[in-house]
Each structure stands twice: as structure tokens, then as C-alpha cells.
Amino acid sequence: MGKEKGEKLTFQLKTPKGTKDWEGRDMVIRDKIFSTITDVFKRHGAVTIDTPVFELKEILAGKYGEDSKLIYDLADQGGELCSLRYDLTVPFARWLAMNSSVQSIKRYHIAKVYRRDQPAMTKGRMREFYQCDFDIAGVYDPMLPDAEILRITSEIFEALGWQGRYTIKINHRKILDGIFEVCGVPKDKLRTISSAVDKLDKSPWAEVRREMTEEKGLDGDVADRIGEYVNLKGSRDLLAKLSAHPTLSANADAKKGLDDMNLLFDYLDIFEVTDKVSLDMSLARGLDYYTGVIYEVVTEGSAPPATSGAPSQEVAPKKGKKKPTANDPDEDRSSDPTVGVGSVAAGGRYDELVGMFSGKQQIPCVGISFGVDRIFSITKARMEKEKATALRLNEVDVFIMAFGGKGFDGLLKQRMEVAKELWNAGVKAEFSWKVKPKLPQQFKQAEQGGVPFAIILGEDELAQGKLKIKQMGLPEGHPEKDGVMIEKVNLVPEVKARLAALAEEAAVADGAARIKIQDRDDVPNEAPAIPTVS
């Protein structure tokens, strides 16, 4: 109903639950993440595509296992039944099936996806969020594309400055299926039991076992045998012991998966990624379309604290708000200590998804998706903890300012001329939009934007064909603290030379920081014992 004239609107002005507006410092951090990821994608020869934000409902149906309940269905308005996309993988497979002339492609796609999940906003668990996907489609020799994707993953997190503070957990769907089979899981329960195992990063084994037996009807002895395997973690030593296990190696699925993983580790050694990888038998990836190697990237904050269940660790909800629970799907669980950020990237091989749409030729695919909002939440928390230097809110390199004495007219046209000259040379520049700005106000504007250099114009200096260039933020006592007078005709080469020197200085400092990689203690040096299954 409409409102009478003068009557106040009564609705609450807010964003929908699980969504947020982005601005200022947060946008700067997020855009830096985007550009870093995109640079790595392009380095590896990827091209980009775009797909609609919603798909036909039947396209998404049956692709996500138990997570299908999180899909946003759109209201039927007399047309086609549609749903908001849940990820970028299924739309890519649909695109491949529609474009049969494309038999191989390296593609990346950066876009928003939608899930009606229980949000935890400050931890990057949202209902509308960005994914950055990289996928390789086509028929290639085994594990070569898979290895390159893990190399890409390592390059991205190193480029983001995470300096080894992350782990790429890997596993193989066929190894898991083989373990389930030798433990006695009926074939019709393989996927549903796999979904239960995938919750081990959030829930203790006792809870996962209860789900298997009480909710999914698995025999308790079978669940106990599975438990002996899915808690194993290690590296190549664990893979060697699994490969030598007589019962597993006799299972066709397990043997195929173990052979794949041995080959993958050979390639990861060459790509210098092995030290960042952990073979984790609890990793299952609940989505139904995975067929081979699977992986997730985790870091501190991905999982809730180990003592999160203890009353002393609980965080009280804000006054007037009820404590968030799993039974309240709309409540923001940011203050719930039992909730972590989750994985910051994940993916795997899906060789049969395209064929589900085309009904014809299969196009094998393997890919990974980076959760930008989760990466953002971890990055921002680290910056606050490490008291990182202030971020620049724009990319302006030069601020043009002017000063003068009695009768000063602001030198507006001269400032505009200098700005035009710098813009023509491709230099990012700005000036005050006041006719007669005060010098302190101009410096304040430059400082607020984090602009590295100022060009200062004075009437007497301009009359001599000169102006001053000043690097902002130099310490007291520095010989160039007050700036350096240069010839106006040399403005562009002088500015470009100083910008290049500043960039080189930053690169050297960044390289020195990267040399100091923290010791890793999350991958055991010795593989655990492999259980015996009769």
C-alpha cells in the first residue's frame, strides 16, 4: 500500500541478512585480493567468461548433494523456474555442454554466488559472496592439470603475503570410495557417508559417527572401521603406507586413486608445492560432482578453537539478542565461538559433470574456487593483529598543490595544466577543487589519500620555470624533507623516475619479508599407522 502525503515510512533500512555493503578501506583490501588472484590466473594462460547470475532450476538440481537445500529458488512469475547460482562450477559445465566446439579451455570467472546458509558475517560466511574460479577442461595426461592448479593455489596465497601460513589439504574421491567399500559401506550410501565425513573439520568424530549410524542407518562396526582411516593425516609417507596396504591396493577404486596421488606428488615436488600440502583422509568434499582429486585450503581461523565447546570460551551475545544456534538459520553467528571461517579455497576433479548436461561426450574438468570474502576476513584480522600500515584509499600518485602570499589567486589554471600534463603521461594525479585552497588543507587531502608525492607550485618559482616535488612522509632530518626544486620541463620524467624508485624499494622490502617463512608444524613428519581391515 502507498503512503499518504506526509506519512513516515516504517520499514527498516538495512541490507538482507547474510549480505553487506562494501566501502572505503574494506574495498581497498578486497580489490587488492581480486587483482592479485587475477594476475596469477592470467600468468597461467587463462581466459575469462561470464554467465547469468541465475540458472534454470533444473540445471542446478541434483548437483550439490545435501547442500541443495541452500539454493535460493526464485518466485515463478509466469516464466521459467529459476534459481540463483550456488557456485560457478555448474554454470561452467552447462556452458561447456552448450558450446560443443570448445573441447579444451583454461578459464577463470570472478562473480557473486548465493547460498541460504547460516551466516557469520565477520568470518566471511555470507549468503552473497564472491568466488574466484579457475578451471581446466579437456583431455590431458593424468594429474598434469591437477598439479598446475595446486601450483596456482600456492602462488596466489604467497602473492597475498600469507608466507606459508596455510595448508592445502588433499585427498582423492576414489581412495575414499575404496576405503568405504572395504569397510563395508553399501554402494547406495557412499555419497551420503562421504557428506558426513566431510563435516569432520567442524564436528568431532563422535558427532559424525552419530550422524552415520542414527541418521543414515550405517552399521556401528562399519562406522568404527571408517573412523580408523578418516582421522589419518600426513604426507608422502602416509601415501606410501596406504599404497602398500594389501586390502586397499586390492580395491580397484582405491588403487586408481593411490596411483593418481603418487603421480601428483611427483609433479608437486617439481613445482615446489609439496611442503604446503597435507594428505588428509577426512577431506571428502560433500558436493556430488567430484570424481577424483579434491582439495581445500585452510589457515588459522578456518576451524573454531579446539576448546570452543567449553563454557569459558563462549562469547556472550549482544544485549537484546538471543544466542545463535544451528536451529535458527537466519541468525548471524559471528559471535559464536564454535564457528570458524572455514576453508578459504576448495575444488577438485569433476570428469562427469559436463556429460550430465550434454548427454554426449564427456569433457574432463578440474578446478578450484577461492572464497574472496573468507580470504578478506582472515587478511583483515591479520592486518589488525600485526598493526599493518595504513592502506591507501585510492591509487593517486601525485597531488598538485599551490601556495602564495598576499594577493594569492590559487594558481588554479596552472594546477589544472600540470594535472593535464601528468594525466597525458599516464600518471595518476589529483588537485583541490577549490579556487584558493589553503596549503594545510591541500596537504591534509593528500595525506588522507596516502598519496606518495606532492607537486607544489609557487608564483615566483613558476615565473622561473620551476616547481617543487616532495615525497610525503619523510622523517625529520631527511635531506629532501622539504622537497626538491626541479625544472618544470622535466616534470614528467622526474615524477616517473621517483615513482619507479619507490616501487623498487617496496619490492625489495616485500621480498625481504617473504624470505622469513615461518616453520610449519601442521604436517606430521612420520605417517601414522594404517589400520588393518580383514
Side-chain angles (χ1 to χ4, degrees):
M1 292 179 62
K3 293 285 182 182
E4 296 295 330
K5 187 175 180 180
E7 187 178 354
K8 287 187 177 180
L9 296 173
T10 57
F11 65 85
Q12 183 181 2
L13 205 58
K14 62 185 285 292
T15 61
K17 288 181 179 178
T19 68
K20 63 173 285 187
D21 294 322
W22 291 81
E23 47 79 31
R25 184 173 182 266
D26 287 356
M27 279 295 291
V28 174
I29 298 172
R30 194 178 73 171
D31 284 350
K32 176 64 175 175
I33 294 170
F34 280 144
S35 62
T36 300
I37 292 174
T38 302
D39 286 347
V40 176
F41 287 167
K42 290 181 177 179
R43 184 187 307 152
H44 286 263
V47 297
T48 190
I49 68 168
D50 194 15
T51 62
V53 73
F54 51 90
E55 295 275 351
L56 294 178
K57 184 175 180 178
E58 61 196 37
I59 294 292
L60 304 184
K63 310 301 188 301
Y64 302 107
E66 295 179 3
D67 284 351
S68 292
K69 63 182 181 290
L70 304 180
I71 294 174
Y72 272 105
D73 291 330
L74 301 180
D76 178 12
Q77 296 181 321
E80 299 166 320
L81 291 176
C82 296
S83 302
L84 292 177
R85 62 188 171 203
Y86 176 91
D87 66 5
L88 302 178
T89 305
V90 171
F92 175 54
R94 189 265 306 152
W95 179 85
L96 281 171
M98 289 179 63
N99 294 272
S100 57
S101 62
V102 180
Q103 293 297 302
S104 63
I105 186 175
K106 281 183 180 179
R107 89 82 166 87
Y108 74 92
H109 190 184
I110 299 177
K112 288 182 176 180
V113 299
Y114 301 85
R115 299 180 186 179
R116 200 186 185 286
D117 205 351
Q118 191 172 6
M121 297 295 289
T122 62
K123 298 176 182 180
R125 301 170 73 102
M126 306 168 72
R127 289 179 168 178
E128 178 193 62
F129 56 96
Y130 270 100
Q131 285 189 337
C132 297
D133 278 27
F134 183 100
D135 293 83
I136 300 174
V139 178
Y140 301 100
D141 285 340
M143 309 315 293
L144 284 167
D146 313 66
E148 183 162 353
I149 281 183
L150 293 176
R151 167 69 190 193
I152 288 167
T153 302
S154 172
E155 287 183 19
I156 284 174
F157 285 107
E158 292 302 317
L160 288 170
W162 287 32
Q163 301 179 14
R165 292 179 291 178
Y166 60 94
T167 300
I168 306 172
K169 299 197 299 184
I170 63 172
N171 203 355
H172 199 294
R173 264 289 173 80
K174 290 191 180 298
I175 298 176
L176 273 176
D177 287 349
I179 288 173
F180 294 156
E181 286 180 22
V182 301
C183 289
V185 178
K187 281 191 176 293
D188 62 347
K189 291 185 182 293
L190 288 179
R191 289 283 74 84
T192 186
I193 296 303
S194 181
S195 294
V197 169
D198 194 48
K199 297 173 184 175
L200 278 170
D201 63 335
K202 311 177 191 73
S203 305
W205 166 248
E207 175 58 27
V208 171
R209 185 188 185 280
R210 187 202 63 78
E211 179 180 331
M212 287 179 174
T213 55
E214 296 181 17
E215 295 181 21
K216 298 180 175 177
L218 191 67
D219 183 87
D221 290 338
V222 174
D224 290 338
R225 287 197 288 271
I226 292 172
E228 295 180 19
Y229 282 97
V230 296
N231 290 301
L232 299 176
K233 295 178 177 64
S235 188
R236 195 143 199 176
D237 288 347
L238 173 59
L239 182 60
K241 289 188 176 182
L242 288 169
S243 300
H245 192 283
T247 309
L248 277 183
S249 59
N251 179 277
D253 278 342
K255 186 177 188 310
K256 174 66 170 66
L258 291 166
D259 289 345
D260 279 351
M261 294 298 273
N262 275 298
L263 186 58
L264 177 64
F265 267 93
D266 286 342
Y267 297 152
L268 294 182
D269 285 343
I270 297 171
F271 282 159
E272 297 182 343
V273 181
T274 311
D275 64 326
K276 302 172 182 70
V277 166
S278 171
L279 179 58
D280 191 323
M281 304 312 296
S282 70
L283 178 62
R285 302 293 297 143
L287 304 182
D288 280 358
Y289 52 66
Y290 288 119
T291 58
V293 63
I294 48 178
Y295 28 79
E296 282 186 354
V297 181
V298 295
T299 185
E300 83 276 5
S302 287
T307 55
S308 60
S312 61
Q313 296 291 321
E314 292 188 358
V315 179
K318 291 181 180 179
K319 189 174 181 181
K321 287 196 172 185
K322 55 189 176 181
K323 180 181 174 181
T325 68
N327 295 322
D328 184 359
D330 287 326
E331 189 69 32
D332 183 353
R333 294 188 296 165
S334 293
S335 62
D336 186 343
T338 66
V339 177
V341 171
S343 62
V344 291
R349 176 160 287 280
Y350 53 102
D351 288 344
E352 300 169 5
L353 188 56
V354 177
M356 293 175 68
F357 295 123
S358 68
K360 300 176 184 177
Q361 182 182 2
Q362 295 283 7
I363 301 181
C365 299
V366 62
I368 189 165
S369 176
F370 296 85
V372 171
D373 299 282
R374 295 184 179 190
I375 292 172
F376 166 85
S377 69
I378 293 286
T379 301
K380 186 175 180 180
R382 284 178 178 170
M383 292 175 70
E384 291 171 352
K385 182 179 179 181
E386 296 166 6
K387 296 180 173 57
T389 54
L391 286 169
R392 293 181 58 185
L393 298 182
N394 61 44
E395 295 187 8
V396 172
D397 292 320
V398 178
F399 196 95
I400 304 145
M401 52 185 75
F403 74 99
K406 189 175 180 180
F408 174 59
D409 66 0
L411 299 176
L412 175 60
K413 292 182 179 179
Q414 291 87 339
R415 285 185 284 133
M416 294 174 72
E417 286 285 347
V418 170
K420 178 191 68 176
E421 185 178 354
L422 291 172
W423 293 337
N424 286 346
V427 176
K428 304 179 185 78
E430 231 183 0
F431 61 93
S432 172
W433 287 344
K434 286 185 175 294
V435 174
K436 295 181 181 180
K438 295 180 180 179
L439 192 60
Q441 292 173 338
Q442 295 174 87
F443 271 110
K444 183 178 180 180
Q445 188 174 344
E447 288 166 356
Q448 286 176 337
V451 181
F453 290 99
I455 297 295
I456 305 173
L457 310 183
E459 290 177 322
D460 294 342
E461 290 82 1
L462 284 176
Q464 301 172 31
K466 296 181 178 181
L467 43 74
K468 183 179 286 187
I469 184 168
K470 170 179 167 60
Q471 182 172 343
M472 305 288 285
L474 292 177
E476 293 294 337
H478 193 284
E480 295 188 2
K481 172 68 176 175
D482 296 326
V484 177
M485 199 69 68
I486 63 171
E487 297 291 331
K488 186 174 181 298
V489 294
N490 295 330
L491 170 65
V492 169
E494 185 71 32
V495 166
K496 287 191 171 183
R498 287 176 177 264
L499 286 171
L502 193 65
E504 184 178 353
E505 181 182 316
V508 169
D510 183 58
R514 288 173 191 275
I515 291 173
K516 190 178 179 182
I517 304 296
Q518 294 186 352
D519 291 335
R520 291 164 54 83
D521 57 4
D522 52 350
V523 179
N525 294 322
E526 190 172 325
I530 307 300
T532 300
V533 179
S534 57

